[in-house]
Amino acid sequence: MFNPERPPEITASRWLNSDGKRTLKAERGKVVFVAVAQSTCPGSLKFGLPQAMRLTRAFSDKEVAVFGLHMAFENLDAQTPEKVQAFLEEHGFTLPVALDKPNGEGLPQTMTDYELQGTPAILLFDRQGRLRRHYLGAVDDLRVGAEIMALLIEDKDSPREMSIALERKLAAALINPDEHQHGDGCGCGHEHGHDHGHDHQHDHAAAHGEPGHVHGPDCKH
């Protein structure tokens, strides 16, 4: 069963816009934001990757690591490494991007390991390497920024009690709309329609990035 306290490493077949391989382990001590995307997904182009680029300009890379995970699970002929590189260059997405490793005829490796449901998605890790947020769909910049700032308050060796207290303050302060109004290009998750057969329940709100799946230190799985 997936354990957010000890999430698996991102398995990449190749890195784009990067001098070398990036790992979650090497980024310990920073807050890590991963934008999960597909070059053929309209929500990734309109919301996920532009938001990641804004974060690279808003936060110091000494404190917050931002990179993309290109997770091709459909239209594979249109998402070769060369075509993904051209897509990134065309739209000015200069952040490092991992290409999720193909896994035979099944879903790519990291998608399987993290039980991801589609794109665009967000994975947010704390300084200790724990997965604290998993969103599917577009998420407001203010919410993402508030959650990153809260995680930055924690130190690499902060006690669990501090993490729990911060999660409770976030839950009290951030408002989750009761209804999600659909408009043109709302950025709702681009789902792959595959049944993982696991116990995670992603309800309607979570599937649209509000509020998403919270992996807090006192979250019961």
Side-chain angles (χ1 to χ4, degrees):
M1 180 179 292
F2 179 78
N3 180 7
E5 294 279 318
R6 296 180 180 178
E9 191 58 70
I10 288 175
T11 305
S13 61
R14 180 175 170 182
W15 281 85
L16 305 178
N17 296 342
S18 178
D19 294 334
K21 178 181 178 181
R22 306 284 294 270
T23 66
L24 295 175
K25 182 178 181 180
E27 302 294 351
R28 292 278 179 89
K30 300 179 183 179
V31 172
V32 179
F33 176 97
V34 180
V36 186
Q38 279 195 109
S39 58
T40 58
C41 169
S44 296
L45 174 60
K46 186 173 182 179
F47 298 102
L49 291 171
Q51 181 178 68
M53 288 299 300
R54 290 193 294 273
L55 291 176
T56 66
R57 296 188 290 268
F59 291 98
S60 166
D61 60 6
K62 295 180 180 179
E63 294 291 325
V64 180
V66 180
F67 54 85
L69 171 64
H70 188 272
M71 190 176 72
F73 56 83
E74 59 188 359
N75 302 321
L76 302 185
D77 290 343
Q79 300 190 89
T80 63
E82 294 74 22
K83 290 180 179 179
V84 174
Q85 181 69 68
F87 165 81
L88 297 175
E89 292 175 357
E90 177 184 357
H91 297 285
F93 299 137
T94 57
L95 75 166
V97 174
L99 300 183
D100 201 0
K101 185 177 180 179
N103 188 15
E105 296 182 357
L107 299 173
Q109 189 62 54
T110 309
M111 185 177 190
T112 300
D113 291 343
Y114 277 80
E115 303 173 350
L116 299 174
Q117 300 295 308
T119 56
I122 292 171
L123 301 175
L124 186 59
F125 301 84
D126 65 16
R127 293 184 188 271
Q128 298 183 40
R130 299 174 297 190
L131 179 64
R132 297 284 285 271
R133 292 293 186 278
H134 166 205
Y135 289 107
L136 174 62
V139 186
D140 185 80
D141 280 2
L142 288 176
R143 172 177 288 275
V144 171
E147 292 181 335
I148 290 175
M149 286 302 301
L151 295 183
L152 285 171
I153 292 173
E154 298 181 19
D155 293 324
K156 186 177 180 180
D157 56 354
S158 289
R160 178 175 293 272
E161 290 75 17
M162 180 176 182
S163 300
I164 292 173
L166 281 172
E167 287 291 353
R168 289 174 177 169
K169 286 182 179 295
L170 277 173
L174 295 177
I175 297 174
N176 296 318
D178 292 331
E179 296 182 358
H180 180 74
Q181 298 297 328
H182 292 267
D184 292 337
C186 69
C188 298
H190 191 66
E191 299 184 28
H192 61 80
H194 177 80
D195 182 7
H196 288 291
H198 56 75
D199 293 332
H200 282 291
Q201 297 298 319
H202 297 271
D203 60 17
H204 175 81
H208 299 287
E210 297 170 348
H213 203 72
V214 178
H215 294 284
D218 59 347
C219 179
K220 305 301 183 185
H221 291 271

